[in-house]
Amino acid sequence: MDEADRLRVMNDAERVGAMADEPGQAAIYSVCPHHELLDGMENGHARALWVFLHDQNTFRHAEEVRFADEKRFGRMWDGFAGQPHLTVARGGAAVEAFRQAIADRFGSANVEVEICDRSRPMLEGPDAALVQAAVYREGRAGDVLEFVDGRLSRRPHKPVVEAALTYEPTTGAIEVVAAARETREDLVRLFAEHLLGTAFQGERLPIRQFSLDRLRQPFDFPTDPEDGIESVRITLMKLMPYGTQGERITLECMRGAENTIWQLAADRLKDQEQGIEGYAITAVRLTIKFRAAPGTRGGRTLPVTITMPKGCDLKDRTERERIIGEKYLRRWRLLRDV
């Protein structure tokens, strides 16, 4: 193979391999209707390769879904309240007007818009039905370094900037993932006006906020048997004195430690007048251990780190882990919407 074909095959293989893990599989299942066929394949690589070879559009939509879901609730995400039960335009003048509006707003000569139906697992009940729009626009011109005939050279380059918008007809929620914070509201406004045919009100979705105060006292972390959770422990807790923000105390129970984090805190703070009550809890790490599946030696664990007031690494986990984690953080009243 010549160099161009070899690189193309290697790049295709990397795309397939990237969709073979659990988040990639969840994205494929959310857009591909052939679930029974996929279920009969031996592993994630086989499923990703089959979709790549037989339905390039669906595979690309799955990549777009993964992009949106992995960035959800992170620094690139915003959510807005919209009108429910609207129909998203899929083509014709409405999509062309949306594409042109994006080009005018961002000064982009080239804009592509792809719209697909998809689903999202819910804490309870059936999966939520969504419509997702992927927006690709040409960014500002720059240059990149590369070797040409063995010599270093600069090549003019215009990057492609990606954004994703989802609309949930049942609730009216419009979510957007885009790198630049100042662009997100404009993207949602144009999406609502051109593809939903409604005025954008600008009302944001409730903010997720964490509260760790109840963890000052021992807590038993109740769970449902069907989720297969064997134990939940706090393995790390960071404390900040109320009188100053320049100090921190970190308490950590290593694997195999017999004491709980509260016993460790009582022992380390026993000379303090107020003990743990004199400190604000600024971060904790929960370790959720699942029961081992039949025929296996040990169950998997799900570590969850919460940093006040809005930080949580659940967004970096698989879709199933995010669902389980959010379910119990709400159950234990460590997470709420404000």
Side-chain angles (χ1 to χ4, degrees), residues 73-104:
F73 298 130
R75 294 182 179 181
M76 295 174 62
W77 176 89
D78 266 316
F80 298 87
Q83 185 177 342
H85 309 302
L86 298 176
T87 299
V88 180
R90 305 303 182 98
V95 173
E96 177 58 28
F98 178 60
R99 189 199 66 77
Q100 188 59 51
I102 295 291
D104 294 341

Side-chain angles (χ1 to χ4, degrees), residues 43-119:
N43 54 42
H45 285 91
R47 287 185 282 271
L49 181 59
W50 186 90
V51 177
F52 180 83
L53 293 176
H54 290 85
D55 194 338
Q56 285 279 320
N57 286 335
T58 295
F59 188 87
R60 188 170 62 254
H61 291 328
E63 291 177 311
E64 294 163 355
V65 166
R66 178 172 185 157
F67 169 77
D69 285 355
E70 285 192 333
K71 306 300 182 183
R72 194 178 185 219
F73 298 130
R75 294 182 179 181
M76 295 174 62
W77 176 89
D78 266 316
F80 298 87
Q83 185 177 342
H85 309 302
L86 298 176
T87 299
V88 180
R90 305 303 182 98
V95 173
E96 177 58 28
F98 178 60
R99 189 199 66 77
Q100 188 59 51
I102 295 291
D104 294 341
R105 164 60 180 83
F106 297 102
S108 299
N110 296 293
V111 177
E112 289 288 340
V113 177
E114 295 189 350
I115 301 172
C116 69
D117 294 305
R118 53 158 300 191
S119 61

Side-chain angles (χ1 to χ4, degrees), residues 32-285:
C32 182
H34 308 295
H35 287 189
E36 291 186 4
L37 179 62
L38 296 177
D39 289 342
M41 297 180 185
E42 58 270 28
N43 54 42
H45 285 91
R47 287 185 282 271
L49 181 59
W50 186 90
V51 177
F52 180 83
L53 293 176
H54 290 85
D55 194 338
Q56 285 279 320
N57 286 335
T58 295
F59 188 87
R60 188 170 62 254
H61 291 328
E63 291 177 311
E64 294 163 355
V65 166
R66 178 172 185 157
F67 169 77
D69 285 355
E70 285 192 333
K71 306 300 182 183
R72 194 178 185 219
F73 298 130
R75 294 182 179 181
M76 295 174 62
W77 176 89
D78 266 316
F80 298 87
Q83 185 177 342
H85 309 302
L86 298 176
T87 299
V88 180
R90 305 303 182 98
V95 173
E96 177 58 28
F98 178 60
R99 189 199 66 77
Q100 188 59 51
I102 295 291
D104 294 341
R105 164 60 180 83
F106 297 102
S108 299
N110 296 293
V111 177
E112 289 288 340
V113 177
E114 295 189 350
I115 301 172
C116 69
D117 294 305
R118 53 158 300 191
S119 61
R120 176 180 289 148
M122 301 298 290
L123 292 175
E124 298 179 357
D127 293 352
L130 293 89
V131 180
Q132 177 162 321
V135 179
Y136 301 93
R137 61 180 174 86
E138 192 174 65
R140 291 192 179 96
D143 55 26
V144 294
L145 283 171
E146 64 179 13
F147 282 97
V148 178
D149 297 328
R151 301 190 64 177
L152 193 61
S153 177
R154 287 189 175 274
R155 176 173 58 86
H157 174 67
K158 290 185 178 181
V160 174
V161 180
E162 181 179 2
L165 299 110
T166 61
Y167 172 68
E168 185 176 351
T170 302
T171 64
I174 305 172
E175 301 182 27
V176 56
V177 171
R181 181 184 180 89
E182 62 274 12
T183 67
R184 296 175 206 152
E185 189 165 333
D186 284 343
L187 286 168
V188 174
R189 176 177 56 81
L190 297 176
F191 176 84
E193 292 176 356
H194 295 286
L195 298 189
L196 294 178
T198 186
F200 173 56
Q201 302 299 324
E203 179 184 353
R204 292 183 180 272
L205 294 178
I207 299 174
R208 297 151 52 88
Q209 189 174 77
F210 296 92
S211 175
L212 304 178
D213 287 344
R214 72 173 311 166
L215 298 182
R216 295 182 189 280
Q217 303 295 328
F219 186 67
D220 59 2
F221 299 105
T223 61
D224 295 328
E226 58 267 25
D227 290 322
I229 296 175
E230 182 178 287
S231 64
V232 182
R233 286 173 55 88
I234 298 180
T235 55
L236 181 142
M237 180 180 288
K238 292 186 178 182
L239 306 173
M240 180 183 71
Y242 279 117
T244 177
Q245 296 186 2
E247 300 176 10
R248 295 290 190 277
I249 293 177
T250 299
L251 305 172
E252 186 171 10
C253 290
M254 306 301 291
R255 178 180 298 181
E258 296 182 357
N259 287 345
T260 67
I261 200 75
W262 296 286
Q263 292 169 330
L264 179 61
D267 183 55
R268 295 292 182 263
L269 303 175
K270 60 185 178 181
D271 296 330
Q272 302 290 325
E273 181 178 352
Q274 293 182 313
I276 197 173
E277 296 298 329
Y279 294 83
I281 302 176
T282 62
V284 297
R285 182 175 65 227

